[in-house]
Amino acid sequence: MTGNGGGTERRPFPAFAVETGEKYMAVIANRRSVMTLFSDATCPQSHRVRMVLAEKSITVEIVDVDANSKAEDLIDLNPYNTVPTLVDRELVLYDSRAIMEYLDERFPHPPLMPVDPVSRARSRLALYRIEKDWYELVPALESRGEKMAGKARKMLRDSLTAGAEVFAAKPYFLSDEFSLVDAAIVPILWRLKRYKIELPRQARPVMQYAERMFARESFQASLSEAEREMME
């Protein structure tokens, strides 16, 4: 069926299909006795989930997934066949922000979100903006089309530079404690060299913040071998 915009309109799933699919995924998920993360070793979305796992010292089995050859279990668990995908007993999650918030609530120490509703809402808004303003540039940054990549590099460089003073306001991003917002920001900063982005002097607070985050033990523990090679 085609809508007014000329695109393909997706029919809503009938309720029984959703319920059946969830039960099937629960059966597949229950095959795993420990929490499992399907992760791409170079994907920033996967990296930010691994950062939360490391920050909370959560025992987890990490299954490295090749972007060109997805694991059979992943296809069964996740209708979008994407990473990161988290399996915890009968629960399957496949959105990085949903996974991060679930981990923070399931393992409350140390807390990575503010307690009061207003501050939590602000943190969620910051996560949304990071997703829209920075993470949505990643496909273009990693594309082979130089024109597209060049435009994305300029957008990310300009955005980071414009917000540089915010990074200097507190030890962490607008916070006195490490939070999910930091876990979302740092994987992007780690990849600036890979994306061929060199920040100007005006963005020095961003790089000072990055150096503090990179030195954290949990950050180092979150890195895959492929991510370590990005800085070589």
Side-chain angles (χ1 to χ4, degrees):
M1 185 181 294
T2 303
N4 295 334
T8 301
E9 183 179 313
R10 296 182 65 181
R11 297 177 184 273
F13 284 120
F16 74 85
V18 174
E19 183 179 1
T20 302
E22 288 177 348
K23 287 180 178 177
Y24 175 69
M25 286 192 291
V27 170
I28 299 297
N30 278 329
R31 293 177 186 171
R32 297 185 171 273
S33 57
V34 297
M35 181 183 288
T36 304
L37 177 70
F38 291 87
S39 168
D40 184 320
T42 63
C43 160
Q45 298 278 14
S46 295
H47 190 183
R48 61 178 177 170
V49 172
R50 283 186 266 114
M51 278 196 69
V52 175
L53 289 165
E55 189 69 25
K56 290 175 174 285
S57 301
I58 298 170
T59 300
V60 62
E61 178 187 353
I62 294 180
V63 177
D64 287 326
V65 175
D66 185 332
N68 299 315
S69 179
K70 300 292 175 68
E72 185 177 340
D73 274 5
L74 180 61
I75 297 171
D76 292 334
L77 290 165
N78 178 346
Y80 302 102
N81 197 21
T82 55
V83 291
T85 294
L86 183 80
V87 180
D88 186 18
R89 294 171 296 189
E90 74 281 357
L91 177 68
V92 181
L93 295 172
Y94 37 80
D95 172 80
S96 58
R97 280 185 293 168
I99 294 170
M100 292 164 71
E101 290 203 34
Y102 169 72
L103 292 172
D104 191 44
E105 292 173 358
R106 170 102 156 74
F107 302 91
H109 301 290
L112 300 182
M113 284 285 274
V115 175
D116 68 282
V118 172
S119 297
R120 287 177 75 87
R122 286 174 177 157
S123 292
R124 288 193 173 105
L125 184 60
L127 287 167
Y128 175 79
R129 292 201 58 182
I130 291 163
E131 187 79 30
K132 297 293 289 183
D133 295 350
W134 298 347
Y135 276 83
E136 287 193 2
L137 295 174
V138 169
L141 290 165
E142 296 185 348
S143 74
R144 295 183 179 180
E146 182 53 37
K147 184 175 181 181
M148 182 183 296
K151 181 179 179 182
R153 281 196 291 268
K154 184 179 186 306
M155 290 175 68
L156 181 55
R157 182 175 57 246
D158 290 353
S159 179
L160 287 169
T161 303
E165 291 309 312
V166 177
F167 286 86
K170 291 197 172 185
Y172 300 95
F173 191 80
L174 294 177
S175 175
D176 293 318
E177 303 289 342
F178 185 89
S179 75
L180 294 185
V181 179
D182 299 294
I185 293 172
V186 180
I188 294 292
L189 299 183
W190 182 257
R191 287 160 172 75
L192 291 182
K193 182 178 179 180
R194 181 188 188 189
Y195 298 152
K196 301 176 183 177
I197 295 174
E198 186 173 344
L199 295 180
R201 284 186 299 176
Q202 304 94 289
R204 182 169 172 75
V206 179
M207 296 316 299
Q208 290 173 329
Y209 164 87
E211 288 167 6
R212 293 195 303 273
M213 298 303 105
F214 296 164
R216 290 176 65 83
E217 185 177 341
S218 59
F219 175 77
Q220 291 297 318
S222 75
L223 291 169
S224 67
E225 196 59 41
E227 285 163 342
R228 292 185 188 280
E229 293 172 0
M230 291 177 185
M231 284 296 192
E232 294 179 358

